[in-house]
Amino acid sequence: MHNPSTQAVRRSVIVLALIFPLLTAAAQLPPEDADSWTLRKETDAIRVYTMDQPNSSFQAFKAVAMLDVPIENLMAVMVNPKSCVEWVHNCSESHAFGEGDFYDRYAYSVNNMPWPVADRDYVLRIRTHGSREDGEIVMDLNAVPQRLDNKEGLVRVDSSDTYYRFVPLGDKTRMIWIQHTDPNGSIPGWLVNSLLVDIPIKSMEQLERVAGKTRYQNYELVYDEEGKLTAVVPGKTEPKSGDDDS
């Protein structure tokens, strides 16, 4: 029987060492089509599923919605670093920080929690990519708690992964939102899990309303020569003056 050389074994170990972190990162969230998703609630346009996660008392959720707004409007909201307070349920503060660009940037946000639980804050790395070929846009949001100092009175979330996928369908957009968060601190899993269903429903319904506001109209998606999404910019037609909440 042939025994592999020491050099060959060493090469294999190096290859595995390089691949394993990539596999771990990709496995942070369950896939959209996993069989273990359980439908928890359904409205006219939104379905919310949950799934238990290994080594965690907190479930992941998947929300699928058909939003009655074009993808350009939605992306105008999503690239606004302060828009979290407009549409994410219980988000009370949000802003960008540090260096970054369209593809890879950082944001800070605060979420109000039910009394007497302390509010949580998030330090997030946001990566965005899309292609002209299929028109889809994907955003990955991952907690990077070490990039900002902790703030007094808030509990820093040190483990959170979020995936948004936007699929253009004419003047409408299909949105898939998958998230798993460990809120840290003394908070029971049952409390967080009880909130998982209503938060995405309220947030997506609000996102649809916000994307219809005047300030988010007439945006365009910009692609490079290779068909990769590079920016979301105001179009040539300026929004009409008047009530910005219309």
Side-chain angles (χ1 to χ4, degrees):
M1 179 177 180
H2 176 69
N3 291 322
S5 67
T6 301
Q7 186 176 2
V9 172
R10 186 175 300 166
R11 283 199 300 267
S12 298
V13 171
I14 292 173
V15 170
L16 289 173
L18 291 172
I19 293 176
F20 183 73
L22 299 178
L23 295 176
T24 302
Q28 288 176 335
L29 286 173
E32 289 183 42
D33 57 356
D35 294 332
S36 300
W37 288 114
T38 299
L39 180 63
R40 293 280 303 279
K41 191 170 183 177
E42 185 172 7
T43 69
D44 290 340
I46 304 172
R47 298 189 306 276
V48 180
Y49 306 78
T50 59
M51 183 192 299
D52 291 337
Q53 294 299 285
N55 304 315
S56 176
S57 57
F58 306 100
Q59 295 177 320
F61 75 76
K62 177 181 72 170
V64 182
M66 182 64 71
L67 303 180
D68 194 17
V69 285
I71 194 170
E72 293 85 356
N73 295 43
L74 292 172
M75 290 311 300
V77 178
M78 302 304 289
V79 299
N80 177 2
K82 297 182 179 180
S83 68
C84 172
V85 300
E86 295 186 87
W87 71 275
V88 178
H89 187 61
N90 289 334
C91 179
S92 60
E93 179 183 343
S94 179
H95 61 80
F97 73 92
E99 297 181 356
D101 54 28
F102 175 79
Y103 301 103
D104 197 345
R105 61 193 189 275
Y106 296 92
Y108 172 83
S109 64
V110 177
N111 271 41
N112 293 334
M113 297 295 292
W115 186 90
V117 178
D119 292 345
R120 263 58 181 172
D121 67 348
Y122 293 73
V123 181
L124 298 172
R125 180 183 183 185
I126 304 173
R127 284 166 285 188
T128 304
H129 57 276
S131 68
R132 189 199 303 271
E133 184 177 358
D134 58 18
E136 295 188 8
I137 299 172
V138 171
M139 300 178 67
D140 293 294
L141 293 74
N142 307 104
V144 285
Q146 71 282 359
R147 292 193 68 90
L148 286 180
D149 292 337
N150 291 342
K151 293 191 176 183
E152 185 177 355
L154 297 173
V155 176
R156 174 65 47 82
V157 172
D158 55 14
S159 177
S160 180
D161 298 291
T162 301
Y163 166 89
Y164 299 132
R165 184 163 70 92
F166 301 91
V167 183
L169 298 169
D171 291 333
K172 298 184 179 183
T173 306
R174 185 171 184 259
M175 178 180 178
I176 298 93
W177 174 1
I178 300 175
Q179 181 169 327
H180 180 246
T181 296
D182 186 333
N184 209 353
S186 301
I187 179 171
W190 64 264
L191 175 59
V192 175
N193 293 338
S194 68
L195 301 173
L196 289 183
V197 173
D198 289 332
I199 286 177
I201 289 178
K202 291 179 179 178
S203 297
M204 291 169 126
E205 289 175 344
Q206 181 64 10
L207 175 59
E208 184 179 70
R209 288 190 286 267
V210 169
K213 291 184 177 182
T214 302
R215 63 177 172 273
Y216 293 121
Q217 305 305 302
N218 303 310
Y219 274 75
E220 297 178 356
L221 307 180
V222 179
Y223 298 89
D224 63 16
E225 294 180 354
E226 298 179 351
K228 295 181 180 179
L229 183 67
T230 60
V232 180
V233 300
K236 297 179 180 179
T237 303
E238 294 294 329
K240 297 178 181 179
S241 60
D243 184 1
D244 193 44
D245 290 335
S246 62

